[in-house]
Amino acid sequence: MPMSKAASARVARRIATAAAYGGGGLSLLGGAAVGLLFTEAQLAKRKIGGSDDEPPPADGLYGSAFAGQQHGRRIRLGFLGDSTAAGQGVHRPRQTPGALLASALAAVAERPVELRNVALPGAQSDDLERQVTLLLSEHELDMAPDVCVIMIGANDVTHRMPPSRAVRLLSDAVARLRTAGCEVVVGTCPDLGSIEPVGQPLRWVARRLSRQLAAAQTIAVVEEGGRTVSLGDLLGPEFAAHPRELFGPDNYHPSAEGYATAAMAVLPTLCAALGLWPTEDERPDAARRESILPVARAAAEAVAEGGTEVTGVRGPWALLKHRRRRRLPPAEDVTAPREEAV
């Protein structure tokens, strides 16, 4: 039976509170259930397969056509997280989520965008400290990324990392980036129950655990001054409706079309974080089911629908947004970044 939004909010708040105060993980499963789930997981792995291909490198400069225009310096975009953030499952740099968002951001801002992706396939939240250090240590502090996108959480669920620990590690990473002056957008843990080869009861448990982690991630990120976008049914509701088109050959990572769908959902929040979205869209629109809610309730509402944004407004309140998506411009090929004055 699905949990109510109120119950989901309470669980998410408990996980986030345990993360903040160093509590242990919350366990919903007994030993017998874990044994059953292990058997189901092994069967699912045989069906899913997997990919050992290295994600195509996409670091570099996008929107180079704007480099000679007087619209301000280039935007620095950092990407962190796991295989989804790295773009595993596609073969061309321009098909990765980092390249798609860098190209689209350059088109909206009419400024070049420099992408640096430090995401690692297979990464769990305990790798974020290394990734943040790598991203920030490459430049002086005043050369830190303007905005960072983090996609993390799926491997925390599949490797049974205590959710409070996973959330604490993500919170620490967001806090470090915010201290360095970066805006932060987090794509929360995808709904692992949407992976087609996963059978019951593993599908039900995977959905519950991943949604609980996503909601707790939202609370922690918003409280550190970041924004979240629910990746929902593996990066958007379209994945559940069209799994054959939106999953890649391994039935686990997104296809090129799937990454484009995900990037289209994240782009409005990325632009809003940089002040590039219409200011009138920052108010809640009741016609689009938007509202200001307690942050835990907003987090619980967001996990049920892919593409939903949550951002803090004041105190314990958060703005729940369903931003209008824009079709992405054709992604361009990456060029080597050139030195420029700042």
Side-chain angles (χ1 to χ4, degrees):
M1 168 180 287
M3 296 178 70
S4 70
K5 296 291 176 55
S8 297
R10 288 194 296 270
V11 171
R13 173 53 75 185
R14 288 205 306 272
I15 294 172
T17 300
Y21 292 99
L26 299 178
S27 176
L28 302 178
L29 305 173
V34 169
L36 176 59
L37 290 178
F38 180 80
T39 300
E40 289 285 346
Q42 295 303 108
L43 293 173
K45 285 180 181 178
R46 293 176 192 171
K47 296 178 183 177
I48 292 172
S51 173
D52 295 324
D53 294 341
E54 289 292 325
D59 288 8
L61 194 68
Y62 295 81
S64 56
F66 301 112
Q69 301 181 22
Q70 300 302 312
H71 293 291
R73 67 167 176 82
R74 67 182 63 165
I75 297 171
R76 300 184 185 90
L77 170 62
F79 241 78
L80 309 88
D82 54 22
S83 56
T84 300
Q88 191 162 12
V90 295
H91 302 289
R92 296 180 176 85
R94 64 174 180 268
Q95 296 173 325
T96 65
L100 289 163
L101 283 171
S103 291
L105 182 59
V108 172
E110 296 185 340
R111 291 163 58 186
V113 173
E114 183 180 344
L115 172 66
R116 174 64 175 138
N117 194 328
V118 295
L120 179 69
Q124 300 176 53
S125 290
D126 56 6
D127 193 55
L128 288 176
E129 181 180 9
R130 181 194 66 83
Q131 294 183 30
V132 171
T133 298
L134 182 61
L135 198 60
L136 296 181
S137 66
E138 290 188 343
H139 306 289
E140 298 296 330
L141 196 58
D142 61 354
M143 295 285 285
D146 299 292
V147 63
C148 290
V149 175
I150 303 175
M151 295 179 177
I152 199 77
N155 295 317
D156 296 331
V157 174
T158 59
H159 290 77
R160 292 191 292 168
M161 177 181 286
S164 59
R165 180 167 182 253
V167 171
R168 183 169 63 252
L169 292 164
L170 174 60
S171 178
D172 290 345
V174 174
R176 286 183 65 195
L177 292 169
R178 294 290 292 141
T179 299
C182 306
E183 298 293 336
V184 179
V185 176
V186 174
T188 55
C189 181
D191 183 351
L192 298 178
S194 67
I195 300 174
E196 194 178 45
V198 176
Q200 298 289 11
L202 181 60
R203 180 188 292 270
W204 178 86
V205 173
R207 169 160 288 143
R208 172 167 284 198
L209 293 180
S210 53
R211 287 189 173 190
Q212 287 177 348
L213 178 58
Q217 287 176 323
T218 295
I219 295 172
V221 170
V222 168
E223 291 181 346
E224 290 295 345
R227 302 175 185 234
T228 62
V229 178
S230 170
L231 297 187
D233 297 351
L234 259 190
L235 311 183
E238 292 87 348
F239 282 79
H242 306 288
R244 296 299 184 188
E245 293 80 16
L246 296 179
F247 283 110
D250 63 2
N251 290 324
Y252 185 81
H253 293 100
S255 64
E257 292 80 3
Y259 280 127
T261 299
M264 190 165 59
V266 173
L267 177 63
T269 301
L270 182 64
C271 292
L274 292 170
L276 299 172
W277 215 245
T279 55
E280 60 269 19
D281 198 40
E282 295 307 304
R283 295 186 294 271
D285 184 342
R288 298 209 303 267
R289 297 172 291 109
E290 298 175 350
S291 56
I292 295 176
L293 299 168
V295 63
R297 182 58 187 267
E301 293 278 351
V303 297
E305 184 174 348
T308 304
E309 175 190 326
V310 179
T311 184
V313 286
R314 57 184 180 275
W317 300 91
L319 175 61
L320 184 79
K321 292 287 294 180
H322 299 103
R323 294 189 185 273
R324 294 185 177 91
R325 301 183 190 181
R326 293 185 181 179
R327 186 166 297 279
L328 298 176
E332 61 184 275
D333 290 319
V334 64
T335 59
R338 296 187 298 274
E339 295 298 323
E340 66 172 16
V342 297

